[in-house]
Amino acid sequence: MKLCKIAQVAMALILSLVLFPGCNQGAGASGAGSSNAQSSTSARSLDEIKSSGKVIIGVFSDKAPFGYVDSNGQYQGYDVYFGDRIGKDLGVAVEYVSVEPANRVEFLETGKVDIILANFTVTAERAEKVDFALPYMKVALGVVSPDSALVASVDDLKGKKLIVAKGTTAETFFEANYPDVELVKFDQYTETFSALLDGRGDAFSTDNTEVLAWALQNPGFTVGIESLGSLDTIAPAVQKGNAELLDWINNEIKSLASEQFFHEDYKATLASVYGDAINIDSLVVEGGVIE
Amino acid sequence: MQDLGILLEGRNLERLLYGLWVTLRISFASIAASIICGIIFGVIMTLRNRVLQAVCRIYLELVRVLPQLVLLFLAYFGLTRAFNINLSGETSAVLVFVVWGTAEMGDLVRSALISIPRHQYDSGYALGLSKADVYMSIILPQTVRRLIPLAINLATRMIKTTSLVVLIGVVEMLKVGQQIIEANRYTAPRAALWIYGAIFALYFLACFPMSLIAGRLERRWT
């Protein structure tokens, strides 16, 4: 029995030893990036990247059309198109690493990738842990509805039923700003589209990229409102404190504006999904400037 | 049915099979090392030394309490943060699975060893056999026979748990499958069923031979 107690105490000690360095470092990294600048966990400098001959970029491998792997095993998509350009302008090869939404910050904090280009939405919480460069894309809410009763503005929604998925930004946005719009809520994302098809609601709102792509596949439905609500931006991210690489990416994004690079990127990667009918400028950001 | 064609498009099938190879090489390296370390660990646990027993107990409970995902993050990201040790994703995965497998296997070995009744030892000694002979000819054969079904169960569990390694950047079979599904999300939305079907078949083909071999071994030794 006594042995049992000793074992318990020892276990607690070991647990805290194993887990504590992780927590401690995490807090340190968000507080001051310079605290671990000497260690190899710190990001590589521009010179180190160039002399190694490759830049390591974390991208999604299963989020078509932004970052995915084609049938020949090649990384493709809007983010990857930009990643390829970064490699070309740095004069190095690009090594892509498959990341997940949940580990993007970790990959940067431990210096296992140089840049994250994985549809990374800029939020205040994330900005405490990583450094975001200028945005290259923006997302907002969109509203899709049948052509026969098109909802072209929020005023059109009065007295109508709007379908939303629980826990999405659409739900919180409409509850906070338009409490008089009647919401029909669904637990699962997949249910919402079929609910709209069945006529269980008059319109459906979620991220504009999603409704735009869906409307293109479903004739008879149109995205009447392409951009609504608070605009979120998507930007490349580097490790906290890696100012050199951050500046380089910012300058790169600014200089690419002259050739309308991200419009080209859109045409090469997103146009087949979102079509030419939509306003490119409601998604694409050039030179990091948001109107 | 034409969605099944996605599987044969480009290098998709080759990629899926390479994913299976990644899955299997992580699993088999881990299983082999876990069996060896686990047997040693299991024997140590049966020794009547209180300090050793306490240490083993702590190790076993610690590894059992922590989910494999946490262990993977600790090995891949945690070691880099804390000690600047940069292991590759696959090395971290094998390390974690061996640490986990040794604990689980050790406990199986321990339970198999203590399940051999005392009189089996005593009868051996009464026949004039040495301690080594008793172990080699009487105890171990019985232990191994009891151990096989349990060990196979653990091995198949390890194969399936390798699907977690994608979270430390290692692309294995399940992830390749998801990449194929998502790359065709707009052109073949129903391909998911077929791709998951193929993955199911490949996992089955990987795990079933082990059950067959185990069954044959058990029969031969009975």
Side-chain angles (χ1 to χ4, degrees):
Chain A
M1 280 300 105
K2 202 181 164 197
L3 203 65
C4 224
K5 225 168 221 171
I6 296 170
Q8 271 177 3
V9 173
M11 201 150 79
L13 268 175
I14 291 174
L15 253 177
S16 60
L17 274 177
V18 172
L19 296 173
F20 185 68
C23 308
N24 191 27
Q25 284 283 324
S30 62
S34 56
S35 65
N36 54 5
Q38 258 68 50
S39 69
S40 70
T41 53
S42 76
R44 301 193 298 165
S45 70
L46 214 48
D47 284 339
E48 281 171 317
I49 291 171
K50 281 178 180 164
S51 62
S52 77
K54 68 176 181 188
V55 58
I56 305 168
I57 303 182
V59 293
F60 283 140
S61 64
D62 59 355
K63 296 283 176 297
F66 300 102
Y68 65 99
V69 180
D70 70 10
S71 61
N72 290 314
Q74 300 295 314
Y75 279 92
Q76 300 289 352
Y78 185 79
D79 293 341
V80 174
Y81 193 90
F82 182 37
D84 287 344
R85 182 60 188 254
I86 288 176
K88 191 182 150 211
D89 290 346
L90 275 172
V92 295
V94 182
E95 182 187 326
Y96 289 109
V97 174
S98 167
V99 299
E100 301 295 316
N103 64 18
R104 290 177 292 192
V105 171
E106 290 279 341
F107 265 102
L108 279 179
E109 282 185 336
T110 52
K112 290 185 190 286
V113 298
D114 299 313
I115 308 168
I116 286 282
L117 272 183
N119 220 264
F120 215 4
T121 308
V122 181
T123 65
E125 190 193 357
R126 286 172 185 161
E128 283 175 12
K129 294 178 186 150
V130 302
D131 278 344
F132 284 106
L134 292 171
Y136 61 98
M137 211 184 113
K138 56 190 173 185
V139 287
L141 296 175
V143 179
V144 62
S145 47
D147 292 341
S148 53
L150 190 67
V151 173
S153 73
V154 181
D155 294 333
D156 290 351
L157 279 171
K158 283 217 177 78
K160 288 189 173 175
K161 285 180 183 167
L162 180 69
I163 300 164
V164 293
K166 280 183 193 166
T168 59
T169 42
E171 182 191 10
T172 35
F173 173 77
F174 279 98
E175 276 178 350
N177 298 297
Y178 299 97
D180 48 337
V181 174
E182 189 187 342
L183 298 181
V184 186
K185 299 178 187 180
F186 290 92
D187 280 321
Q188 286 196 358
Y189 200 70
T190 45
E191 286 178 283
T192 52
F193 286 114
S194 44
L196 181 62
L197 283 170
D198 300 345
R200 278 179 275 172
D202 300 298
F204 167 48
S205 180
T206 187
D207 285 357
N208 56 1
T209 48
E210 287 292 325
V211 287
L212 287 167
W214 186 83
L216 209 68
Q217 301 294 322
N218 290 271
F221 289 88
T222 304
V223 178
I225 307 173
E226 278 185 6
S227 182
L228 183 72
S230 65
L231 203 64
D232 282 325
T233 55
I234 286 170
V238 299
Q239 193 182 73
K240 195 90 191 160
N242 192 1
E244 201 186 13
L245 185 58
L246 189 72
D247 289 344
W248 187 90
I249 296 172
N250 282 340
N251 288 330
E252 172 82 353
I253 289 176
K254 281 179 201 159
S255 69
L256 287 175
S258 61
E259 54 179 276
Q260 295 284 290
F261 174 80
F262 290 106
H263 282 73
E264 286 305 312
D265 189 348
Y266 177 94
K267 281 173 199 152
T269 57
L270 304 185
S272 59
V273 175
Y274 298 126
D276 298 316
I278 74 149
N279 183 8
I280 297 183
D281 293 305
S282 67
L283 287 178
V284 165
V285 176
E286 288 288 356
V289 184
I290 313 258
E291 296 87 31
Chain B
M1 191 68 196
Q2 80 271 19
D3 285 341
L4 190 57
I6 298 288
L7 209 53
L8 304 171
E9 210 180 278
R11 293 175 49 231
N12 280 355
L13 190 61
E14 188 188 330
R15 288 171 55 214
L16 207 57
L17 290 175
Y18 182 77
L20 178 65
W21 165 236
V22 173
T23 298
L24 290 182
R25 75 176 176 219
I26 293 175
S27 321
F28 285 139
S30 310
I31 292 166
S34 297
I35 288 176
I36 296 165
C37 299
I39 290 174
I40 298 168
F41 182 59
V43 172
I44 291 175
M45 278 205 288
T46 57
L47 298 179
R48 286 166 210 278
N49 179 322
R50 300 193 109 201
V51 179
L52 265 181
Q53 275 185 346
V55 171
C56 292
R57 194 85 211 147
I58 291 166
Y59 169 64
L60 177 64
E61 295 299 332
L62 196 66
V63 172
R64 265 201 191 147
V65 163
L66 291 174
Q68 280 87 47
L69 188 56
V70 173
L71 290 172
L72 285 172
F73 266 66
L74 280 175
Y76 190 61
F77 296 115
L79 283 182
T80 309
R81 277 170 195 269
F83 309 107
N84 275 332
I85 301 169
N86 245 314
L87 297 179
S88 76
E90 273 194 55
T91 314
S92 312
V94 172
L95 177 73
V96 165
F97 285 122
V98 170
V99 165
W100 170 51
T102 300
E104 295 275 3
M105 186 69 194
D107 204 33
L108 298 179
V109 170
R110 181 193 61 86
S111 68
L113 276 175
I114 60 169
S115 75
I116 307 293
R118 182 74 224 160
H119 66 77
Q120 293 284 326
Y121 293 83
D122 293 340
S123 314
Y125 296 137
L127 286 169
L129 294 174
S130 70
K131 200 169 181 184
D133 281 339
V134 169
Y135 262 94
M136 289 308 291
S137 320
I138 300 173
I139 307 303
L140 273 184
Q142 295 186 72
T143 310
V144 169
R145 214 174 296 152
R146 287 174 194 197
L147 206 53
I148 290 228
L150 303 171
I152 294 297
N153 187 19
L154 178 64
T156 49
R157 250 172 78 206
M158 285 174 88
I159 291 179
K160 285 176 283 188
T161 313
T162 53
S163 58
L164 287 178
V165 300
V166 68
L167 282 150
I168 54 168
V170 180
V171 178
E172 45 64 71
M173 179 165 60
L174 192 62
K175 186 68 188 178
V176 175
Q178 285 165 350
Q179 288 175 352
I180 296 172
I181 290 166
E182 286 299 317
N184 298 289
R185 187 176 152 198
Y186 296 106
T187 47
R190 269 164 214 88
L193 191 68
W194 294 104
I195 304 294
Y196 279 125
I199 292 171
F200 166 80
L202 289 173
Y203 268 124
F204 181 78
L205 286 177
C207 294
F208 189 59
M210 297 206 320
S211 307
L212 276 185
I213 294 167
R216 193 156 299 170
L217 284 180
E218 269 183 89
R219 247 175 290 133
R220 184 149 41 133
W221 287 341
T222 340

